[in-house]
Amino acid sequence: MSVSYNPQERVFRLDTPNTTYLIAIVDEEGFLGHAYYGKRIPDDNMQYTMRIFEGNVVPSVNNRDRVAFYDSLPTEYSTFGLGDFRESCLQVLDENGNRGVGLVYQDHRIIPGKPSLEPLPATYGETDECETLEITAYDPVLKLKVKLYYTAFTQIDAITRSALIVNENDQPITLTRAFSACLDLDNRNYDVITLHGAWSNERQINRRPAVPGRQGISSLRGVSSAQENPFIALAEHTATQKSGQVYAMNFVYSGNFMANVEMSEQGLTRMTMGIHPNGFAWNLAPNDSFQTPEVVLVYSSCGLNGMTHTFHDLYRGHLCRGPYRDQRRPSVINNWEGTYFDFNEEKILRIAEEAAKTGIEMFVLDDGWFGVRNDDNSGLGDWYVNTKKLPNGVKGLAEKINALGMRFGLWFEPEMVSPDSDLYRAHPDYAFQLPDRPHSLARNQLVLDLTRKEVRDCVYQQMYEVLSTANIEYVKWDMNRPLTNVGSYAATRENSGEIYHRYVLGVYDLQSRMLRDFPNLLLENCSSGGNRFDPGMLYYSPQIWTSDNTDAIDRLRIQEGTALVYPLSTMGAHVAACPSHMNGRTTPFATRGHVALVGCYGYELDLTKLTDEEKAMIPKQLEDYRNVGDIFRTGDYYRLASFAENGKYDVMMSVSKDQSKAAIVFVQVLTNLRGRSILMQLEGLDENRKYRCNLDGSVRTGAAWMYGGLLLPKLAGDFLSALITLEAVEE
Ligand code: GLA
């Protein structure tokens, strides 16, 4: 049993294999206090941790200091206006212009399994895999109900949270803030960890001390963003990869968000996460409800590795969906960096023929196949084939690629419109815009108003036409500019605060429709590289393009940051041409292969321009992807050394779940002047089993490899790499 209620103690408990979460009903009024979250404990009577009785603070005893009570209670869902001055989860504006909210316990239910949050993405689980607690809290003045959902997974140390807000009043009410989760922790010298970045430099790990006051991250770009990923963690100052306590939150959402950490005067640290309140105002008519997106909570008592393993297991098995969820993804050749917009059927087929000879499994035709699209100034929105480039249509090209023994995939950017397009000329109002202001163009394009059903229908109709007439087995869904000038022709003063969220719901609706109509499609999300690498997208696509930066060395940091939270099985990673189009760096073909091998593998270059020697390496690389790649896709990932931290070399490892195989990618970024090989202690092996190493065939116990270490090969030069494997042997 993962969820229970102890009526004597008035405590709810949620247990996962190694963690416990306790919620207490406090005082006669029934406030919802947060009593405990951490390593698994058997006790329920943990209310003392809230310290509320120390100063006789509870209102039934000391009503003259009610404010002090509100402002010091570790709470489950903080509300604005009555005395909790810390970050609030819920703020409203009622019909009389009042903003205060106060919630008390009303009742609860324990639900087997996990209710779906559709139309929002969310983690899922069967009745034997998780259990859900629904606590109904109520504001009797506003007649506002808040149902707090907590799901505890039975095999994974994750707890998910969301809130459903129901207006039971006969008056409308506006939600001006509706966060998904709040976690009040005692102060323990925490560091805040976030994934900060930029275009082509996504998800760089940033760790700094939590300081008194507020610090946080957010996005107002309409997408979750490359700048700040919707992930935040509090790690004990002394926590390392292998040890120490870590509390993390990750938002299953793909739009504007906010995550804050606040250290209060009371010595509490509050972590909150939800939809960004700027530009948000949601109207609830009588009996209407608003469902917040889900937050995934992870606690690890064994450092960052523990946190990472939990996220990876949860997302691989309980977030990603579809026939490819547990499958190796086909190796691809994508023509973007090979040709950009400058291609025709003949050129594409020449590349495809080379690819077919090497054994690459799928050809993905990127931007430029539709409308009038010879550069990025026109054509978006016109999703019909450009017959000048492809005289036999997408269908004809797909058939020829299939005849070469390869599968075929296609790029779309469905959320966009170019001012120079037939769609825009016919329906200028389909684009977001603020009347009387010039468009704020980005990449010379505008964002379609996907809050409107007729706009979604128009885009989808066109996509359906293409997808249903040609043998397309993969779609790369791109999104290449942030939302600005967010004005909708359908909006009124009353509902304009709903646009950002309704836009995200519109994107989810389109992706759901596509997957419903084409259930065998492999969808890869993408947004100017990795702008939308978030758990919301993973519900629709089991993989996401990690970054437009395909330089193998820059990718080390990007992939390390990405893999801190997201499974390797979700990271699109390709071998690109050199010198790198991104930064001019030249790296060996083998190194590019090793760095890409850990993700969803492919090539992104003009194969006809490779040297014979390089081309000859591809079949072996593909064989590695088929064999070793599976260890990265399904195993437990360990960060052994970080180039981002040491500035010299990078070592990452994955161990198969049955501990029979392990794979290690070592990249020597800068040559080791002292000429000594690095002794690297491995992780995750079975101490007692023996493993043979591919480097020299030596056999040692897991204990020896982990505590004695493995001598990494000496490599003479910069940017060199090695792929090392270990296999359990019976000896
Ligand atoms: C974005 C993507 C790239 C490519 C281009 C096409 O930048 O991230 O991979 O598809 O768009 O315009």
Side-chain angles (χ1 to χ4, degrees), residues 80-365:
F80 176 79
L82 305 188
D84 184 347
F85 299 108
R86 296 161 290 169
E87 198 71 38
S88 43
C89 287
L90 186 63
Q91 297 189 6
V92 303
L93 178 62
D94 73 12
E95 275 302 276
N96 303 317
N98 297 320
R99 293 175 187 272
V101 195
L103 295 172
V104 288
Y105 169 79
Q106 193 179 46
D107 57 27
H108 73 271
R109 278 195 306 157
I110 295 173
I111 306 164
K114 186 169 190 291
S116 151
L117 296 190
E118 298 268 4
L120 284 169
T123 56
Y124 56 84
E126 300 299 323
T127 47
D128 59 342
E129 293 171 326
C130 54
E131 207 170 7
T132 300
L133 170 65
E134 177 196 87
I135 298 181
T136 302
Y138 192 60
D139 182 325
V141 176
L142 294 172
K143 298 193 175 61
L144 192 70
K145 233 179 208 174
V146 178
K147 294 186 179 204
L148 299 174
Y149 289 97
Y150 301 80
T151 299
F153 283 81
T154 51
Q155 299 302 323
I156 298 175
D157 286 316
I159 290 173
T160 61
R161 289 192 55 176
S162 71
L164 179 76
I165 302 156
V166 190
N167 179 13
E168 296 199 334
N169 210 323
D170 52 11
Q171 302 283 317
I173 195 164
T174 304
L175 309 179
T176 52
R177 177 189 285 232
F179 273 13
S180 301
C182 167
L183 182 65
D184 278 343
L185 298 168
D186 226 53
N187 224 336
R188 288 200 202 110
N189 269 330
Y190 289 115
D191 283 346
V192 180
I193 301 178
T194 57
L195 297 172
H196 175 80
W199 173 71
S200 275
N201 195 33
E202 295 89 341
R203 291 172 296 286
Q204 307 290 307
I205 299 173
N206 188 287
R207 181 168 179 167
R208 67 271 185 196
V211 292
R214 286 174 201 199
Q215 54 191 314
I217 51 161
S218 64
S219 169
L220 278 169
R221 293 164 192 267
V223 289
S224 46
S225 92
Q227 286 69 20
E228 306 292 351
N229 195 262
F231 160 82
I232 194 161
L234 285 171
E236 282 181 311
H237 201 51
T238 49
T240 64
Q241 286 293 341
K242 294 190 200 177
S243 69
Q245 303 193 72
V246 185
Y247 294 87
M249 283 187 177
N250 197 197
F251 204 23
V252 189
Y253 190 61
S254 313
N256 291 346
F257 78 93
M258 184 184 249
N260 285 309
V261 166
E262 181 174 8
M263 263 167 83
S264 75
E265 53 167 343
Q266 307 286 347
L268 284 178
T269 303
R270 172 171 290 179
M271 183 155 61
T272 49
M273 186 173 258
I275 292 179
H276 203 303
N278 281 19
F280 175 85
W282 198 273
N283 299 300
L284 286 184
N287 297 318
D288 264 8
S289 61
F290 180 78
Q291 172 66 56
T292 73
E294 175 166 289
V295 163
V296 176
L297 278 180
V298 170
Y299 167 78
S300 158
S301 60
C302 41
L304 292 168
N305 274 345
M307 175 198 78
T308 297
H309 289 172
T310 299
F311 277 122
H312 285 196
D313 287 345
L314 185 74
Y315 292 170
R316 280 186 296 211
H318 300 273
L319 179 63
C320 294
R321 299 176 299 163
Y324 287 93
R325 187 186 80 165
D326 303 321
Q327 302 279 320
R328 184 177 60 78
R329 317 292 153 65
S331 54
V332 304
I333 167 78
N334 175 304
N335 71 306
W336 176 240
E337 287 193 32
T339 67
Y340 295 105
F341 297 100
D342 181 19
F343 63 82
N344 54 26
E345 186 183 277
E346 202 188 319
K347 196 165 175 181
I348 292 298
L349 285 173
R350 271 208 307 273
I351 298 174
E353 278 156 17
E354 285 302 323
K357 278 188 230 159
T358 64
I360 295 174
E361 294 157 300
M362 180 178 275
F363 190 97
V364 177
L365 184 61

Side-chain angles (χ1 to χ4, degrees), residues 53-70:
F53 301 102
E54 278 178 7
N56 282 346
V57 199
V58 285
S60 63
V61 178
N62 180 9
N63 197 35
R64 70 181 288 278
D65 289 319
R66 189 177 264 265
V67 169
F69 168 75
Y70 280 128

Side-chain angles (χ1 to χ4, degrees), residues 6-7 92 113 138 157-158 251 294 303 350 402 432 502 521 614 618 655 706:
N6 179 334
V92 303
Y138 192 60
D157 286 316
F251 204 23
E294 175 166 289
R350 271 208 307 273
N402 289 162
F432 277 139
R502 288 198 187 278
L521 198 69
E614 288 171 332
I618 295 179
V655 183
M706 291 196 290

Side-chain angles (χ1 to χ4, degrees), residues 526-538:
C526 169
S527 175
S528 299
N531 236 317
R532 241 191 204 160
F533 210 120
D534 61 60
M537 286 285 109
L538 288 179

Side-chain angles (χ1 to χ4, degrees), residues 336 366-367 411 443 476 478 480 526 528-529 545 548:
W336 176 240
D366 211 281
D367 195 353
W411 180 97
R443 213 191 189 201
K476 178 176 172 187
D478 211 338
N480 280 318
C526 169
S528 299
W545 184 228
D548 278 348

Side-chain angles (χ1 to χ4, degrees), residues 437-698:
R437 291 185 193 281
H439 288 316
S440 289
L441 290 161
R443 213 191 189 201
N444 214 354
Q445 63 197 54
L446 298 169
V447 183
L448 285 172
D449 180 0
L450 296 185
T451 66
R452 292 166 61 187
K453 183 165 180 303
E454 63 271 32
V455 179
R456 297 200 297 277
D457 289 348
C458 164
V459 178
Y460 186 65
Q461 195 56 44
Q462 294 189 61
M463 292 178 77
Y464 183 86
E465 197 64 29
V466 179
L467 294 174
S468 58
T469 46
N471 187 19
I472 297 166
E473 298 183 68
Y474 163 113
V475 161
K476 178 176 172 187
W477 180 300
D478 211 338
M479 194 283 187
N480 280 318
R481 63 153 290 170
L483 272 61
T484 64
N485 302 50
V486 176
S488 164
Y489 269 62
T492 61
R493 189 170 184 280
E494 276 63 47
N495 64 19
S496 67
E498 300 180 3
I499 299 178
Y500 276 110
H501 182 57
R502 288 198 187 278
Y503 178 84
V504 179
L505 294 177
V507 174
Y508 292 153
D509 172 52
L510 279 180
Q511 298 207 349
S512 300
R513 285 198 217 182
M514 193 173 76
L515 294 174
R516 188 195 55 216
D517 292 342
F518 304 97
N520 294 322
L521 198 69
L522 173 56
L523 177 62
E524 175 170 276
N525 268 292
C526 169
S527 175
S528 299
N531 236 317
R532 241 191 204 160
F533 210 120
D534 61 60
M537 286 285 109
L538 288 179
Y539 186 67
Y540 303 95
S541 63
Q543 62 190 63
I544 300 176
W545 184 228
T546 310
S547 176
D548 278 348
N549 192 337
T550 45
D551 167 60
I553 304 305
D554 284 352
R555 271 286 179 131
L556 295 175
R557 292 164 181 269
I558 296 169
Q559 293 183 181
E560 180 187 350
T562 306
L564 184 69
V565 180
Y566 304 103
L568 303 179
S569 62
T570 65
M571 291 194 321
H574 294 171
V575 174
C578 268
S580 161
H581 294 191
M582 201 54 60
N583 59 16
R585 184 183 279 131
T586 298
T587 49
F589 200 70
T591 303
R592 283 175 265 159
H594 289 155
V595 174
L597 182 69
V598 306
C600 306
Y601 189 73
Y603 295 82
E604 182 134 350
L605 38 72
D606 185 346
L607 281 173
T608 63
K609 293 186 179 148
L610 288 184
T611 64
D612 289 344
E613 198 189 333
E614 288 171 332
K615 252 185 265 176
M617 290 167 77
I618 295 179
K620 172 69 173 78
Q621 290 179 325
L622 294 171
E623 189 190 315
D624 284 343
Y625 178 51
R626 278 192 299 275
N627 300 324
V628 188
D630 275 357
I631 306 174
F632 294 120
R633 181 172 61 79
T634 60
D636 288 332
Y637 156 84
Y638 295 88
R639 169 57 49 186
L640 302 187
S642 158
F643 164 58
E645 280 174 19
N646 65 35
K648 292 185 190 125
Y649 62 96
D650 204 78
V651 189
M652 52 90 65
M653 172 177 190
S654 280
V655 183
S656 65
K657 287 281 180 191
D658 65 1
Q659 291 176 299
S660 68
K661 287 178 187 169
I664 297 156
V665 170
F666 163 45
V667 178
Q668 174 170 286
V669 179
L670 294 178
T671 191
N672 176 5
L673 278 179
R674 290 162 69 210
R676 279 158 61 94
S677 47
I678 298 161
L679 188 59
M680 183 58 50
Q681 292 181 315
L682 307 186
E683 288 183 52
L685 302 172
D686 181 336
E687 286 187 2
N688 301 315
R689 280 168 94 172
K690 289 188 169 175
Y691 296 88
R692 175 175 290 118
C693 176
N694 70 329
L695 291 176
D696 59 2
S698 55

